[in-house]
C-alpha cells in the first residue's frame, strides 16, 4: 500500500479506498476521479503545492470543482505572494507523482491548508498516493493528521 494508506492505518482513522482505471490521456486527474467514481467534484479534492515569497513550500487542498486562488493561499499562510511549485519540485517534496500526490504520507511535512468548503462535508476524497486511488475520510480527520487549517482557498 501507499504511504498515505499506511499512515491512516497507523493513526486508526476511519477511511475507505476507491480505485478506478486511470486513463493516461486524461490530464485532469481530479475530474477523472470524480467522474470514474460517480462523485460530485465538490467532494473530490486535489493536492497542490505552492512556493511562498520567502521560499517555503505549502500545500493547498482544494475541490476539483474550483481553482486555487494563490492570493488567498498566500493570505492564509501569512505571506504576500504564492506561485505554483514546479511539478518536479512537488514530486521531490512529496515522494508522489503528479496526479497521484496525496496530502498524507509525504516525504516532507509541509504547512497545509484545506479549502473551507470541505469543513461541512461528512466525507471528502483525496488522492491515495497513486493515480487511480482515492481515499474517503472525514475532513476533520484530514486536518488533524496534517495539522492543517481550513481557509477560503478556491475560486468556484
Amino acid at each position: 500500500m501507499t504511504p498515505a494508506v499506511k499512515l491512516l492505518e497507523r493513526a486508526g482513522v476511519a477511511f475507505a479506498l476507491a480505485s478506478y482505471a486511470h486513463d493516461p490521456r486524461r490530464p485532469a486527474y481530479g475530474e477523472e476521479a470524480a467522474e470514474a467514481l460517480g462523485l460530485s467534484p465538490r467532494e473530490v479534492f486535489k493536492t497542490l503545492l505552492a512556493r511562498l515569497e520567502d521560499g517555503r513550500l505549502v500545500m493547498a487542498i482544494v475541490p476539483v470543482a474550483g481553482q486555487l486562488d494563490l492570493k488567498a493561499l498566500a493570505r492564509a499562510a501569512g505571506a504576500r505572494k504564492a506561485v505554483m511549485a514546479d511539478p518536479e519540485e512537488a514530486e521531490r517534496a512529496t515522494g508522489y507523482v503528479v496526479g497521484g500526490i496525496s496530502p498524507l504520507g509525504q516525504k516532507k511535512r509541509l504547512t497545509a491548508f484545506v479549502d473551507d468548503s470541505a469543513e461541512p462535508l461528512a466525507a471528502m476524497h483525496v488522492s491515495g498516493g497513486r493515480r487511480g486511488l482515492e481515499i474517503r475520510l472525514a475532513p476533520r480527520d484530514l486536518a488533524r493528521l496534517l495539522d492543517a487549517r481550513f481557509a477560503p482557498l478556491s475560486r468556484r
Side-chain angles (χ1 to χ4, degrees), residues 66-155:
Q67 266 191 318
L68 174 61
D69 181 336
L70 287 165
K71 288 182 182 181
L73 175 61
R75 270 193 307 276
R80 288 177 299 168
K81 186 177 178 186
V83 296
M84 291 302 298
D86 292 327
E88 298 83 19
E89 181 179 34
E91 289 179 347
R92 277 193 311 275
T94 64
Y96 295 117
V97 297
V98 169
I101 294 178
S102 178
L104 300 159
Q106 297 182 358
K107 284 171 50 176
K108 293 183 181 178
R109 182 138 177 123
L110 301 174
T111 301
F113 301 91
V114 180
D115 187 71
D116 60 0
S117 68
E119 201 167 9
L121 298 176
M124 64 189 294
H125 294 79
V126 296
S127 174
R130 65 175 166 77
R131 296 171 184 158
L133 182 66
E134 291 289 308
I135 295 171
R136 180 183 191 271
L137 77 166
R140 291 270 176 208
D141 287 337
L142 178 68
R144 183 176 46 79
L145 289 169
L146 298 175
D147 196 21
R149 282 191 11 234
F150 290 100
L153 301 176
S154 68
R155 288 183 246 135

Side-chain angles (χ1 to χ4, degrees), residues 3-16:
V5 174
K6 289 177 184 175
L7 178 118
L8 289 168
E9 288 173 342
R10 280 193 312 270
V13 170
F15 70 97

